[in-house]
Amino acid sequence: MFRFTKSARLMSSSALAAVMVSGALLSGAALAQGKPNLAGIGRTATPAEIKAWDIDVRPDFKGLPAGSGSVAKGQDVWEAKCASCHGVFGESTEVFTPIIGGTTKKDIETGRVANLTRLDFPQRTTMMKVATVSTLWDYINRAMPWTNPKTLTTEEVYSVVAYILNLAEVVPENFVLSDKNIAEVQKRMPNRNGMTEKHGLWDVKGKPDVQNTLCMKDCPTTMKVSSSLPASARDAHGNLMEQHRPIGPARAIDTSKPGATPGPTSAAPAAPAVSAAPAATAVAAAPPAATPAAGGAKPAAGPSGADIAKRNNCVACHAPAAKLVGPSWADISKKYKGDAKAPAMLAQKVKNGGVGTWGPIPMPANSAVKDNELAAVVQWVLDGAK
Amino acid sequence: MSNEVKKSGRLIKAPENFLTKEDVKNPALMRRKFLAASVSSAAASMAALGLASGSRSAQAAVGQGDPNILNLPAHSTGLGMPVAANPYGMPSQYEKGLQRRESPGLTRVSAASVAFTPLQGTFGIITPSGLHFERHHQGWWDIDPSKHRLMVMGMVKNPKVYTMDDIMRLPSVSRIHFIECGANTAMEWGNVAVPTVQYSHGMVSCSEFTGVPLKVLLDDCGIDMKQAKFILAEGADGSGMTRTIPLDRALDDVIVAYGMNGEMLRPENGYPLRLVVPGIQGVSWVKWLRRIEVGDQKWAAKDEAIHYIDLMPDGLHRQYTGIQETKSVITTPSGGQTLLDKGFYNISGLAWSGRGKIKRVDVSVDGGRNWRTARLETPVLTKAFTRFNIDWVWDGGPAILQSRAQDDTGYVQPKLNQLREVRGTRSIYHQNAIQSWKVAENGEVSNVQVY
């Protein structure tokens, strides 16, 4: 039984009176509802504020700041700030889907990328898809570099766009891209005629392109399974038993054990990559990576080195034993074994970036990592990343 | 199997480690638990034990009764926890299996990735805020709301800046809507790729959102209705997510939202401000919303000219695809589960349409040959999840479960082969086909395609 204390009861009666009074006021206000008078809410934006945030560039180049940048300068910026993720020639598949590749001189003439009709073409690069230079300019200006977006100068953005266009053979290597010639360059984009808006998915009243019927009895179907998960993928998503409620009408399958009856073999193992995520790879082809955390016990102390490395995206470029973009944890640990100066030196390198120790691809700066976490993650690497 | 066995099956936490020292001393109890475990593991072991349906052997195994009844537990004989021991409540420790999860190998960078909602464990139509799916393009932030600003500019008489204080003073609405990523179910265009409904359909959630109709803000800034045709929404994160939205949508039911399921938005869902664009794919629901620009042309932003474009078989990309067409999926029973026994089951699932209300859902248990119409639970709201249920008695034979939804425009959810005939298998986005779950004779439910 729930019982108010004496003072709470006193309060409740006075509160009730207050509610009654405000109720009367409210009913008067409700009658007056029309277009609300919002005077005094919000204020006029200053020109400087609008300039600071109004960074979008449209296909007609409204919003493009005046300026220019050369292919040569672009190459310098690229190698310092972009190559670590995208590869020196924009071809890398290590971290994101490639930017360059799959387009031809013929495509530049027709404005349609021929490889897009090929079912056997491995993946779509940015240059195979994008129809507008404005999009490249806006993308790089607002969202790149990956770990430090909106830090490039206008000249750097022009330069990097020029470098990409040169790699895709849209402009020559001595080219200087500017606000004056960018519209002309857009007319040479390999996939400029590759977009269509003829579909029903823009307008809420749009016409669907696929129709099904409400057949209820003896409908045409084969009852034949055309695709199912191969037995080898049984635990590719971790143990499914740990991903379900332990009560209810159905239990989850314990996929840490082999199945009672192996499923029928899959017709085609390769799933289409989901390029919604830049670094998508086909699921079926991917190795069963680390099992997602099943909840349960969390360490009581601060985050582990592994947690810090994951949260700060270190694992995008570094793996436990294999070289990805950067050296493996094991190689770093081996190289600096017994070096008393290593923790401080490496912490600085992680924070400010560096290049040369492991090859030509630079390590980007990671200025957002907190100092205590920086020390912890470096020590974790030096201790063998366990 | 007798009822006793079926019920006792629910008493076991997990099939492994089910024998305690106490159990070993009690042969009758041991026998009962052994039977229960064999029910939940596989029909093969049932067959091996010669346990035909209706066997009476289990009756004796119950013995005097269930120790969970006969021996009063600590929670009935002791003092429980005080109020506010968990000032912000958390789910029971026994619910920890139900979490947002990544699909291993789907993406290489977790800051540009997806964590899926465990649809296999949710009830009704509201997704708990902590289980709302996540999709970030350049990582998420927990932004200080006192420093967050929204700017409305472009083709307006008076471009304005609003603080959160301003926005939360304005007239508000609260509405229940689903949000679905355009790439939901994308991994299944060509063939089965994932085991459970969490991974096949978990890029969809449904919440009650609270905020200001965008129209109120556009009116307040004096939108130029003669010239304006589109708006651009822009996020404050590193990705600076930008999406073009047609003006008729913007003036209709779009909300500038700060509330979700009675509390503020969670950081992973755009705290303190996001756009709610009912019926349109999730990428347009710009999180950490900082700017609305009114304009007269589409923007061809990165996520509408490089990503979120649908490749057709003729090599053209469909651009500006946004509407999430009618879709449904059975969440129970679903892939990765095992039916404990023959007999009654409540087939339950979710249906939704980006064009309006769900009108009807039909369910087949024989791979789409024959269909029965399911019950729709209330409320049935526009551009929101609708929960459906239908009775089913499993006879122990193989079955293939499917659901097929129709919305109030008359559109019927298509079969996968119908979609493929028009769109091929490489368009990634807007895969809304009928889902099939196969029930094997041993009770195991798995993800299959039959069309």
Side-chain angles (χ1 to χ4, degrees), chain A residues 119-347:
Chain A
L119 289 169
D120 62 338
F121 203 76
Q123 57 186 333
R124 280 177 285 165
T125 67
T126 300
M127 281 306 294
M128 287 170 72
K129 294 187 283 182
V130 66
T132 35
V133 180
S134 60
T135 306
L136 287 178
W137 206 101
D138 181 86
Y139 197 156
I140 294 162
N141 184 51
R142 77 172 50 245
M144 292 294 130
W146 170 248
T147 49
N148 297 95
K150 302 180 191 72
T151 58
L152 296 177
T153 65
T154 297
E155 188 195 5
E156 285 176 327
V157 177
Y158 271 109
S159 305
V160 168
V161 174
Y163 181 64
I164 290 173
L165 294 172
N166 174 248
L167 288 176
E169 299 178 310
V170 176
V171 300
E173 105 190 74
N174 61 354
F175 196 74
V176 178
L177 183 70
S178 75
D179 56 303
K180 305 284 186 301
N181 61 20
I182 198 166
E184 286 305 308
V185 174
Q186 189 152 287
K187 292 178 191 160
R188 286 177 54 78
M189 289 295 275
N191 201 40
R192 64 186 176 276
N193 299 322
M195 298 288 176
T196 176
E197 294 183 34
K198 285 183 188 152
H199 57 76
L201 295 180
W202 167 256
D203 189 339
V204 72
K205 296 192 184 80
K207 192 170 176 278
D209 58 352
V210 177
Q211 295 287 349
N212 195 2
T213 59
L214 284 177
C215 172
M216 295 300 284
K217 209 168 173 307
D218 297 327
C219 309
T221 174
T222 58
M223 260 301 262
K224 212 178 115 201
V225 170
S226 58
S227 175
S228 62
L229 270 190
S232 60
R234 186 173 169 83
D235 63 350
H237 280 72
N239 187 354
L240 299 180
M241 178 164 271
E242 291 164 1
Q243 302 179 21
H244 284 70
R245 188 170 282 126
I247 51 163
R251 298 297 164 76
I253 299 168
D254 184 353
T255 49
S256 66
K257 300 181 179 120
T261 47
T265 47
S266 178
V274 184
S275 79
T281 53
V283 168
T291 307
K298 286 258 160 63
S304 69
D307 284 345
I308 298 167
K310 181 171 189 289
R311 223 177 42 237
N312 291 288
N313 301 301
C314 312
V315 293
C317 297
H318 300 279
K323 183 184 184 310
L324 290 181
V325 178
S328 70
W329 302 135
D331 284 347
I332 300 169
S333 170
K334 205 167 128 198
K335 183 179 175 80
Y336 295 105
K337 194 170 180 164
D339 182 346
K341 288 181 188 156
M345 186 274 292
L346 288 177

Side-chain angles (χ1 to χ4, degrees), chain B residues 25-154:
Chain B
K25 285 183 204 149
N26 182 343
L29 179 62
M30 222 180 98
R31 167 86 177 136
R32 185 187 60 71
K33 284 201 172 183
F34 182 70
L35 290 172
S38 58
V39 170
S40 61
S41 59
S45 55
M46 284 198 276
L49 288 164
L51 295 175
S53 179
S55 159
R56 286 171 181 272
S57 56
Q59 192 91 37
V62 173
Q64 291 242 317
D66 185 343
N68 289 300
I69 296 171
L70 299 179
N71 311 325
L72 289 181
H75 60 252
S76 299
T77 56
L79 176 61
M81 301 284 283
V83 298
N86 295 324
Y88 198 110
M90 293 293 288
S92 159
Q93 58 176 313
Y94 303 106
E95 294 292 311
K96 70 185 177 194
L98 297 170
Q99 297 191 352
R100 295 191 283 231
R101 291 170 196 276
E102 283 187 85
S103 179
L106 178 63
T107 59
R108 299 202 192 168
V109 186
S110 292
S113 190
V114 177
F116 297 82
T117 293
L119 294 174
Q120 68 273 23
T122 63
F123 309 113
I125 61 170
I126 298 293
T127 309
S129 294
L131 296 179
H132 187 298
F133 79 95
E134 283 181 86
R135 168 76 173 112
H136 315 304
H137 296 80
Q138 221 147 327
W140 64 272
W141 298 86
D142 192 1
I143 294 174
D144 179 349
S146 71
K147 293 178 180 162
H148 189 72
R149 304 287 181 266
L150 174 68
M151 185 186 289
V152 180
M153 42 76 67

